């Protein structure tokens, strides 16, 4: 009986430990992204997000839509980083996410916050507009126009068709 109790206790401890550290650290995510970016000639698109964030889900949906997915996959190594989770979902966060968000000056921006890096991990652009406001998940025509200008700084090639597809997908319909 004692052996069963000890085994159950050890199993429970291991399960808790795995749950709290199941996510990759931001160091590992960036290292892996950098390797791929250098090999494939892409930029790195880090999107800080949380499970409770509706705008984060909208941006993910827009970037993975049938008409935009190929563009983002061809030009970026996508790195979703989970941050700012509620207490009961802290286990979903990537270790180091708060520090990385702060490093890129997004800790007071709201979510989603994104930053685009070159293959040497130098910032190309981020989700702040010229007034210092976080674009987050662009939804208005004006926000999407700013988003496209930022994308043009980091993508290998942006065609008129890409611009049309991104605009049609991201601009919220009334």
């Amino acid at each position: 009986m004692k052996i069963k109790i000890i085994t159950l206790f050890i199993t429970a401890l291991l399960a808790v430990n795995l749950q709290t550290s199941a996510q990759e650290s931001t160091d590992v995510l960036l290292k892996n992204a950098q390797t791929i970016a250098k090999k494939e000639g892409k930029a790195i698109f880090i999107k800080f997000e949380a499970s409770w964030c509706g705008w984060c889900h909208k941006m993910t949906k827009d970037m993975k839509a049938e008409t935009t997915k190929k563009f983002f996959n061809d030009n970026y190594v996508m790195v979703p980083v989970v941050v700012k989770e509620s207490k009961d979902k802290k286990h979903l966060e990537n270790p180091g996410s708060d520090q990385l968000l702060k490093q890129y000056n997004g800790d007071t921006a709201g979510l989603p916050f994104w930053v685009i890096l070159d293959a040497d991990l130098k910032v190309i652009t981020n989700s702040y507009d010229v007034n210092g406001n976080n674009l987050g998940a662009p939804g208005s025509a004006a926000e999407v126009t700013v988003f496209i200008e930022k994308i043009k700084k980091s993508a290998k090639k942006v065609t008129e068709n890409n611009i049309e597809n991104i605009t049609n997908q991201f601009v919220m319909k009334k």
Side-chain angles (χ1 to χ4, degrees), residues 7-33:
T7 303
L8 284 172
F9 181 72
I10 290 172
T11 303
L13 282 176
L14 287 173
V16 168
N17 189 39
L18 287 174
Q19 183 181 24
T20 58
S21 61
Q23 298 295 332
E24 290 283 357
S25 73
T26 55
D27 290 340
V28 170
L29 291 174
L30 284 178
K31 182 181 174 196
N32 292 343

Side-chain angles (χ1 to χ4, degrees), residues 25-26 83 118 120:
S25 73
T26 55
V83 66
D118 67 16
D120 293 319

Side-chain angles (χ1 to χ4, degrees), residues 84-91 93:
K84 295 187 176 187
E85 282 292 346
S86 57
K87 286 183 183 179
D88 62 324
K89 294 193 178 182
K90 282 287 185 192
H91 65 278
E93 288 186 5

